[in-house]
Amino acid sequence: MSVTFQKYHLEHHRFQGVDGMDMDVPSQTEANVVTNLFSKVIWVIFQLFFYAFRPLFLKPKPPGGMHPVAGHFISEHYVFKPEQETYSYYGPLNLLTWSVGYHNEHLDFPRIPGNMLYKVKEIAPEYYNGLDSYKSWSQVIYMYIMDSTIGPFSRMKRKAKKAE
């Protein structure tokens, strides 16, 4: 999506304010519908969705490729091996993502800032070195797509504890 969005963003700068070219400009339909207090409140609340979906209806472009950072959503909690519930990622993209890949460390110590989670692994290697982890979010995406046994509900699920 980020690759596709980049095309719209570049056009926004090049054709700022031009109907049909700058996708920041609301459509004529939006202008006809958003005319009173109630519709304005709805439009403002959902403006992010209008902004995100407007280009798809007014000026569709070919979709971009999968972004490797999106793999972190799958890598954290999707169970690829039944004996392990959560996984960490120790690849170079941690430098760009404020170390969100140190997921097991974050779950164990949620109050430690992301940029310091690598130290948790250094201090306590006996707890983390034996766990399966990833070095590539792109590989995680590929594994998710290709493995017919993994799907949207391939996550550990629990029942909520009743309050006593």
Side-chain angles (χ1 to χ4, degrees):
M1 286 185 67
S2 66
V3 173
T4 303
F5 176 76
Q6 180 185 19
K7 295 173 185 174
Y8 291 112
H9 188 74
L10 293 172
E11 286 181 351
H12 160 70
H13 284 274
R14 186 170 180 199
F15 302 105
Q16 190 168 358
V18 177
D19 279 329
M21 296 298 287
D22 180 1
M23 290 297 105
D24 276 7
V25 176
S27 68
Q28 189 60 49
T29 303
E30 288 173 84
N32 291 338
V33 172
V34 182
T35 58
N36 58 45
L37 179 82
F38 178 74
S39 61
K40 285 180 178 181
V41 169
I42 297 298
W43 189 80
V44 168
I45 290 171
F46 294 105
Q47 187 173 11
L48 177 65
F49 296 103
F50 285 102
Y51 183 78
F53 292 111
R54 183 183 302 132
L56 300 177
F57 293 104
L58 299 180
K59 195 173 181 189
K61 294 190 180 301
M66 289 179 263
H67 199 285
V69 174
H72 96 86
F73 296 108
I74 297 170
S75 73
E76 292 171 354
H77 290 285
Y78 281 73
V79 178
F80 286 86
K81 295 185 177 181
E83 60 274 1
Q84 187 171 326
E85 180 178 353
T86 61
Y87 305 83
S88 286
Y89 159 80
Y90 302 124
L93 290 175
N94 274 321
L95 296 171
L96 300 174
T97 61
W98 296 278
S99 298
V100 298
Y102 287 87
H103 191 66
N104 286 324
E105 295 81 354
H106 168 68
L107 292 174
D108 291 342
F109 299 97
R111 295 193 185 271
I112 293 180
N115 67 334
M116 300 303 285
L117 287 172
Y118 75 94
K119 287 193 178 258
V120 172
K121 187 174 186 298
E122 286 178 4
I123 292 168
E126 65 273 17
Y127 292 101
Y128 301 104
N129 286 350
L131 297 175
D132 285 329
S133 61
Y134 302 109
K135 288 186 172 43
S136 168
W137 279 325
S138 297
Q139 180 190 18
V140 171
I141 294 170
Y142 178 80
M143 290 169 27
Y144 175 79
I145 292 170
M146 299 306 289
D147 189 338
S148 63
T149 65
I150 302 293
F153 289 114
S154 297
R155 297 175 57 114
M156 182 66 70
K157 291 188 169 195
R158 298 182 178 93
K159 298 217 183 258
K161 293 180 182 177
K162 293 183 180 180
E164 294 181 31

